[in-house]
Amino acid sequence: GEQVEQLPSILRVQEGSSASINCTYENSASNYFPWYKQEPGENPKLIIDIRSNMERKQTQGLIVLLDKKAKRFSLHITDTQPGDSAMYFCAASADTGNYKYVFGAGTRLKVIA
Amino acid sequence: EAAVTQSPRNKVAVTGGKVTLSCNQTNNHNNMYWYRQDTGHGLRLIHYSYGAGSTEKGDIPDGYKASRPSQENFSLILELATPSQTSVYFCASGDAWGSNQAPLFGEGTRLSVL
């Protein structure tokens, strides 16, 4: 199977707190995991990614964790701001000759001021 | 600057009509993708391509055809459009590996089939 489950579907957090989004995947060959942010009416834009040779990656208030044993990866947004309000999508891909990207269903994040 | 350009941006079609959505990328990416986005379903893969002349079925290919006549262009064709194909369609391109691997998305095409 190649499904990616993403939870929660809706997330409301207070400004300044952290937000966490979790994804699980089925394909054990998956080795690349990008995260996208999508503003209303716009296209999804890459915000951070992680490869299977890493367990943690951090950039500009974003942290991605990868647990290959559990087939789980997560996005953590620290010190959330109203501008972080958007849809977030996780994705998984296996570059074993099949470069399909399977996306999660998305998380709508609302940061409350 | 890397870019993926879709046309048209908006389209209204009649049931049973033929619709062609076009996508152009100037990034020299090998891989190109067509996704549709519907509320509650995220992004679902319709067709994808590894390079000029290749097309592969994605997860929801029924009712759609694809064409990759060149490295730069990837079209999605609805031969007999149905109202269930009303959606937002995104084209994307990416390298097979490396720093440009993650799909880069176009601006999207909003299709309404009446």
Side-chain angles (χ1 to χ4, degrees):
Chain A
E2 297 190 55
Q3 292 199 39
V4 173
E5 183 177 30
Q6 181 173 347
L7 292 171
S9 55
I10 300 173
L11 181 58
R12 293 168 61 92
V13 300
Q14 210 67 35
E15 181 178 357
S17 66
S18 296
S20 296
I21 303 170
N22 299 292
C23 291
T24 56
Y25 59 97
E26 297 180 348
N27 185 357
S28 57
S30 295
N31 57 4
Y32 178 62
F33 308 90
W35 285 87
Y36 289 83
K37 177 182 180 182
Q38 186 178 28
E39 311 267 11
E42 296 189 9
N43 56 355
K45 293 179 175 63
L46 177 71
I47 53 173
I48 191 170
D49 58 6
I50 190 167
R51 298 185 185 278
S52 58
N53 60 349
M54 303 175 70
E55 294 180 349
R56 185 181 192 276
K57 184 174 181 179
Q58 180 171 359
T59 178
Q60 294 180 335
L62 303 176
I63 300 170
V64 174
L65 303 176
L66 173 62
D67 181 343
K68 288 180 290 184
K69 254 185 184 177
K71 297 183 186 175
R72 181 171 57 224
F73 58 113
S74 57
L75 173 69
H76 306 271
I77 306 172
T78 60
D79 187 23
T80 54
Q81 300 299 311
D84 293 323
S85 297
M87 282 291 290
Y88 291 81
F89 293 96
C90 63
S93 172
D95 60 356
T96 53
N98 175 342
Y99 301 98
K100 288 176 59 175
Y101 285 82
V102 181
F103 283 79
T107 297
R108 183 173 300 280
L109 172 65
K110 173 73 173 175
V111 179
I112 305 161
Chain B
E1 183 179 317
V4 177
T5 304
Q6 294 183 230
S7 63
R9 294 293 312 279
N10 293 280
K11 173 76 176 177
V12 179
V14 296
T15 298
K18 182 177 180 178
V19 177
T20 300
L21 306 183
S22 300
C23 179
N24 175 272
Q25 55 103 356
T26 55
N27 315 312
N28 201 30
H29 290 161
N30 287 328
N31 301 334
M32 295 188 75
Y33 310 86
W34 275 106
Y35 287 90
R36 64 177 284 175
Q37 184 173 33
D38 305 285
T39 304
H41 289 281
L43 294 151
R44 292 183 291 174
L45 182 64
I46 307 170
H47 284 288
Y48 61 107
S49 169
Y50 297 129
S54 92
T55 60
E56 306 291 334
K57 292 182 179 179
D59 299 318
I60 54 164
D62 293 345
Y64 302 93
K65 291 184 180 178
S67 174
R68 182 90 182 267
S70 65
Q71 179 83 338
E72 297 79 18
N73 296 293
F74 190 39
S75 298
L76 185 68
I77 303 141
L78 291 67
E79 294 278 5
L80 294 169
T82 68
S84 65
Q85 294 175 313
T86 293
S87 186
V88 178
Y89 291 84
F90 286 101
C91 176
S93 72
D95 274 338
W97 60 276
S99 59
N100 295 317
Q101 180 177 349
L104 175 69
F105 284 87
E107 297 298 320
T109 295
R110 187 172 297 275
L111 173 66
S112 295
V113 182
L114 306 178

